[in-house]
Amino acid sequence: MLWPEVMALIRRSRMLALATHSTHMPGYPHVSWLPTVADEAGRPLVVISRLAEHTQNILQNHKVSVLLHDDDMALEKARLTILGDLQPVAPDELLAARLARYNPQLAACLDMGDFSVWRLWPRRARLIAGFGRMGWVEGDEWESAAALTLAQEAELIAASVIGAGELLGVDLAGCDIRLGEQIRRFEFATICHDATGVAQALKHIARDITA
């Protein structure tokens, strides 16, 4: 099953390549390199300026493609192409807080008048997980898969102590912790079914970090 690998790759990705339809050269794709943060359901978010070329393209055609991959990109490493619709979103307090934890610079951009948050709504995704391991995942997976709410995530973060690390985000499969200048992804031993299971898994992660 490819879905867990798709989610794991999205959640550990900090950058993505965004392909939009060029308005200046119709028929040609325009590719940009942007920081990204996943929302609570694992849908990529970007913060973009209205003045940017890619934003002007999206305003004319919201159908895009993005490429995510590990920092040490190599042919034997996993990469994910998502085709979907990029739509503006007015972030509520909890989503804005998630963005700020993961990338304070993006949060600062939102204080400028021409920056806004956009969410990718996946239609189909192609995962290349390694030699001979590849396949398609349908966009319905994002809508039907179990996920923590932003409120549950906020409660878990407030109740958790991770030693010298800062807990940035948590989901049913793992958590992201800032250790020094680095954000590290920690996968749980098993995928949890609810917030109670996540709370227990976080205790094991905290013990491993402080040991």
Side-chain angles (χ1 to χ4, degrees):
M1 184 178 180
L2 296 176
W3 178 247
E5 294 180 75
V6 167
M7 278 292 98
L9 179 53
I10 291 174
R11 293 196 181 281
R12 67 177 180 263
S13 294
R14 307 290 166 236
M15 302 289 295
L16 58 72
L18 169 67
T20 58
H21 294 266
S22 176
T23 56
H24 287 297
M25 295 188 66
Y28 289 88
H30 178 100
V31 180
S32 305
W33 184 239
L34 298 170
T36 184
V37 174
D39 72 3
E40 71 279 9
R43 293 178 292 246
L45 301 169
V46 293
V47 175
I48 53 180
S49 167
R50 186 175 180 85
L51 301 177
E53 189 77 19
H54 46 249
T55 308
Q56 296 304 308
N57 294 340
I58 297 163
L59 289 172
Q60 297 300 316
N61 190 333
H62 60 258
K63 294 179 171 60
V64 304
S65 179
V66 304
L67 172 67
L68 303 100
H69 58 72
D70 288 321
D71 290 339
D72 53 342
M73 177 61 168
L75 287 178
E76 66 272 15
K77 297 290 185 178
R79 57 266 193 198
L80 177 70
T81 299
I82 306 176
L83 295 87
D85 303 301
L86 199 60
Q87 301 283 359
V89 56
D92 60 17
E93 182 179 348
L94 292 175
L95 185 59
R98 187 171 220 270
L99 274 169
R101 290 194 302 271
Y102 277 91
N103 195 321
Q105 289 182 326
L106 291 184
C109 286
L110 291 176
D111 292 331
M112 306 177 190
D114 68 312
F115 279 84
S116 56
V117 181
W118 294 67
R119 188 194 328 256
L120 179 65
W121 294 91
R123 298 300 181 185
R124 283 194 101 194
R126 178 73 171 175
L127 177 69
I128 309 296
F131 184 75
R133 295 176 57 242
M134 61 194 70
W136 290 95
V137 173
E138 300 301 325
D140 292 345
E141 291 279 3
W142 275 265
E143 308 307 315
S144 61
L148 294 176
T149 66
L150 287 169
Q152 288 174 319
E153 178 186 51
E155 291 175 2
L156 287 163
I157 290 174
S160 300
V161 179
I162 310 291
E166 177 190 0
L167 183 59
L168 303 180
V170 61
D171 51 82
L172 295 175
C175 62
D176 299 306
I177 299 173
R178 190 186 303 278
L179 295 170
E181 298 298 317
Q182 185 182 24
I183 297 176
R184 289 188 57 191
R185 174 73 181 173
F186 293 85
E187 299 289 341
F188 298 148
T190 58
I191 296 177
C192 301
H193 297 291
D194 52 32
T196 301
V198 171
Q200 293 300 317
L202 282 171
K203 293 179 181 179
H204 291 291
I205 295 291
R207 283 198 293 267
D208 291 342
I209 292 176
T210 57

